[in-house]
């Protein structure tokens, strides 16, 4: 074994794990396991701790490095674990120098204890270098380009700004170069990703918006077949982004929205910047521009002070916004956040509401699947068994070449995927 990376959390973490692997191996590390953690929920942190203990039991001779959002926000806790050899900060994990320092620490003579902590001040980070995980991207039909990191907002439930720092962006020219290189390498679909994607560009000269970046990519990489945008904050959608949605079919008709709740008082207590009406109006506006647009959304169940009536308003968003994909988060009390000091909802109520929300999401997906029967969709073949339509709807696949985009007629569905 050279370097093994165990990843928790979001797609951005998955992308960053491949950069970690490249940088750690490039630094000459071997027999090393890196645990790239997530801090979104208490459960994610607990799972990381359990995994670390199991890794130590299973591979007693390996070095274990812990990094990621939870390592940044709960540094001491991980450092106190006897199973852990080093804790590396969330910005440091992307830097080759930090991995070379880690190797040097591990190679220190046994009678000189190495420094276990290597965690810098994430709030002091003001720039973002472009990262292209070439080894990870090769052979993958859908690839990710990280264009932004961090967040300047302080939603009362969220610990992530303290794990990733303030918002910072990759320069447009560097993003376009990455997209061009990946397209020339044969990748059919590029996904722009970040922590708070619609804040892109605020820290760059001229403060370009996400829509400006999207237009530049599509203009300067005309051979790119499919461009997709990951989760956005609808209240920050700019005019250029709306224009691209309306006019360029290479931008895929699927948006994932950071809605979080459907009750105005809950949204205010969350310190969100949109109202219930804003969310519904945004979906209607986008469908006027692009009638076939599919929406996904993040919704939290059981936020502090949420009554049954407030929860029902969140559940009703599934129909009122016409959501297809629902990502349900049972509220998780994160120490140090304002929401942790608010009156909490009983855990059983939170779990029951999350279950009901998931059921609404599953019903919405089944309705979407049924509506696709008889349509012809352009499906990106992800693997030997599955592809995705333009709208990100999964399709069962057999006998198609991975990475190709095929026009397939939809014959039915199995409740989870379309059938051809």
């Amino acid at each position: 074994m050279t370097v093994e990376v165990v990843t928790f959390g979001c797609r951005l973490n998955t992308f960053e794990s491949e950069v970690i692997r490249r940088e750690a191996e490039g630094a000459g590390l071997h027999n090393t396991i890196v645990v790239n953690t997530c801090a979104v929920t208490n459960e994610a942190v607990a799972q990381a701790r359990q995994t670390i203990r199991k890794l130590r039991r299973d591979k007693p001779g390996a070095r274990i490095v812990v990094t990621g959002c939870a390592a940044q926000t709960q540094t001491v806790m991980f450092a106190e674990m006897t199973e852990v050899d080093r804790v590396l900060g969330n910005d440091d994990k992307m830097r080759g120098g930090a991995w070379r320092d880690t190797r040097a620490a591990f190679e220190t003579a046994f009678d000189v204890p190495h420094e276990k902590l290597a965690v810098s001040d994430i709030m002091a980070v003001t720039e973002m270098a472009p990262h292209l995980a070439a080894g990870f991207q090769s052979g993958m039909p859908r690839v990710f380009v990280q264009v932004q990191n961090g967040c300047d907002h302080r939603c009362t439930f969220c610990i992530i700004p303290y794990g990733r720092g303030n918002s910072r962006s990759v320069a447009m020219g560097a993003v376009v170069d990455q997209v061009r290189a990946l397209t020339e390498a044969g990748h059919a679909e590029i996904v722009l990703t970040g922590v708070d994607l619609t804040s892109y560009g605020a820290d760059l000269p001229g403060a370009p918006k996400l829509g400006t970046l999207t237009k530049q990519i599509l203009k300067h990489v005309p051979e790119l077949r499919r461009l997709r945008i990951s989760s956005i904050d609808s209240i920050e959608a700019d005019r250029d982004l709306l224009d691209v949605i309306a006019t360029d079919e290479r931008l895929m008709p699927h948006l994932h929205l950071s809605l979080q709740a459907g009750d105005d008082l809950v949204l205010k207590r969350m310190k969100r910047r949109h109202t219930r009406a804003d969310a519904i109006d945004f979906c209607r506006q986008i469908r006027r521009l692009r009638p076939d647009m599919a929406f996904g959304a993040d919704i939290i169940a059981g936020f502090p002070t949420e009554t049954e009536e407030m929860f029902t308003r969140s559940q009703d968003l599934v129909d009122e916004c016409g959501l297809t994909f629902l990502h349900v988060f049972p509220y998780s009390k994160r120490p140090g956040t304002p929401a942790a000091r608010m009156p909490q909802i009983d855990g059983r109520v939170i779990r029951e509401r999350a279950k009901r929300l998931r059921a609404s999401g599953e019903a919405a997906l089944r309705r979407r699947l049924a509506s696709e029967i008889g349509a012809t969709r352009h499906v990106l073949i992800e693997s030997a068994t599955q592809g995705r339509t333009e709208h990100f709807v999964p399709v069962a696949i057999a006998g198609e070449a991975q990475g190709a985009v095929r026009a397939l007629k939809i014959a039915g569905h199995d409740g989870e995927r379309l059938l051809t």
Side-chain angles (χ1 to χ4, degrees):
M1 181 183 69
T2 53
V3 176
E4 175 186 346
V5 184
V6 179
T7 307
F8 292 88
C10 62
R11 293 176 181 175
L12 184 55
N13 250 18
T14 301
F15 168 85
E16 290 175 343
S17 286
E18 297 307 320
V19 177
I20 288 169
R21 188 193 314 277
R22 181 188 66 197
E23 296 295 343
E25 290 180 346
L29 282 167
H30 59 88
N31 198 26
T32 301
I33 303 171
V34 182
V35 181
N36 193 14
T37 62
C38 172
V40 169
T41 63
N42 291 321
E43 183 181 2
V45 177
Q47 288 175 350
R49 286 171 58 86
Q50 293 167 5
T51 298
I52 290 165
R53 295 190 181 103
K54 184 176 187 301
L55 288 169
R56 176 56 71 216
R57 292 194 301 269
D58 294 346
K59 300 178 181 179
R63 298 283 195 177
I64 296 179
V65 180
V66 181
T67 188
C69 290
Q72 185 73 42
T73 59
Q74 295 175 262
T75 302
V76 173
M77 181 191 72
F78 284 106
E80 290 177 346
M81 293 183 69
T82 57
E83 297 88 353
V84 174
D85 295 292
R86 193 165 176 86
V87 181
L88 196 62
N90 212 14
D91 182 66
D92 308 275
K93 72 182 182 182
M94 305 295 281
R95 301 181 184 277
W99 293 105
R100 290 190 291 274
D101 290 345
T102 297
R103 178 188 174 186
F106 288 164
E107 291 177 349
T108 300
F110 290 112
D111 58 343
V112 181
H114 66 262
E115 181 62 57
K116 197 170 187 178
L117 294 179
V119 181
S120 59
D121 179 5
I122 196 72
M123 293 301 177
V125 181
T126 59
E127 295 182 349
M128 181 181 172
H131 297 285
L132 183 61
F136 168 62
Q137 309 284 20
S138 60
M140 296 194 67
R142 177 181 300 103
V143 294
F144 294 85
V145 172
Q146 184 183 8
V147 304
Q148 185 273 341
N149 201 352
C151 185
D152 290 339
H153 309 303
R154 296 296 182 265
C155 297
T156 59
F157 57 85
C158 188
I159 196 73
I160 295 306
Y162 306 100
R164 288 191 171 270
N166 292 317
S167 182
R168 50 206 187 273
S169 312
V170 177
M172 281 197 296
V175 175
V176 171
D177 288 344
Q178 288 192 58
V179 172
R180 182 182 296 110
L182 290 166
T183 302
E184 290 174 351
H187 301 290
E189 184 172 301
I190 306 294
V191 184
L192 302 184
T193 187
V195 173
D196 182 27
L197 196 57
T198 34
S199 71
Y200 173 85
D203 57 319
L204 297 177
K209 300 285 189 179
L210 178 62
T212 310
L213 173 65
T214 305
K215 281 190 170 183
Q216 291 300 307
I217 291 170
L218 293 169
K219 175 182 177 181
H220 293 289
V221 193
E223 61 274 26
L224 173 62
R225 297 185 65 177
R226 293 160 67 121
L227 181 66
R228 197 177 292 279
I229 296 173
S230 62
S231 181
I232 67 168
D233 198 339
S234 59
I235 203 70
E236 289 185 319
D238 62 279
R239 184 172 299 176
D240 278 340
L241 182 58
L242 300 183
D243 185 49
V244 173
I245 289 170
T247 61
D248 200 317
E249 292 186 353
R250 291 182 296 158
L251 183 68
M252 295 294 96
H254 165 248
L255 292 174
H256 191 85
L257 308 177
S258 180
L259 297 183
Q260 309 305 347
D263 179 82
D264 283 342
L265 184 54
V266 171
L267 288 167
K268 182 178 181 179
R269 289 170 176 166
M270 287 179 166
K271 207 176 177 182
R272 300 294 294 168
R273 291 162 299 131
H274 70 273
T275 64
R276 172 189 183 82
D278 290 333
I280 296 169
D281 289 346
F282 178 79
C283 293
R284 289 173 178 167
Q285 179 186 16
I286 295 300
R287 284 206 170 94
R288 285 195 295 269
L289 300 174
R290 193 85 171 261
D292 66 334
M293 182 65 71
F295 291 105
D298 296 331
I299 299 182
I300 294 174
F303 183 81
T305 76
E306 180 188 73
T307 64
E308 178 65 21
E309 185 179 6
M310 293 170 177
F311 167 75
T312 299
R313 292 193 185 99
S314 290
Q315 191 172 29
D316 288 346
L317 278 185
V318 177
D319 291 330
E320 294 186 61
C321 288
L323 304 178
T324 295
F325 309 100
L326 209 59
H327 193 177
V328 176
F329 289 89
Y331 171 75
S332 183
K333 181 179 178 181
R334 307 305 290 125
T337 61
R341 300 189 296 272
M342 298 178 186
Q344 304 292 303
I345 304 297
D346 183 85
R348 290 170 296 181
V349 175
I350 294 175
R351 291 189 291 274
E352 188 270 337
R353 288 177 182 173
K355 182 178 179 180
R356 285 157 59 192
L357 259 181
R358 291 191 185 100
S360 294
E362 290 164 2
L365 177 58
R366 287 193 297 270
R367 289 194 295 272
R368 179 73 192 214
L369 294 173
S371 74
E372 293 285 315
I373 296 174
T376 297
R377 298 301 185 200
H378 292 88
V379 180
L380 175 65
I381 312 302
E382 298 175 323
S383 67
T385 59
Q386 180 165 295
R388 296 269 181 178
T389 70
E390 306 95 316
H391 309 91
F392 209 63
V393 180
V395 184
I397 293 297
E400 296 286 350
Q402 180 175 315
V405 177
R406 296 281 186 259
L408 301 176
K409 187 170 183 177
I410 306 305
H413 71 87
D414 62 5
E416 296 181 351
R417 298 187 298 176
L418 296 173
L419 305 174
T420 59

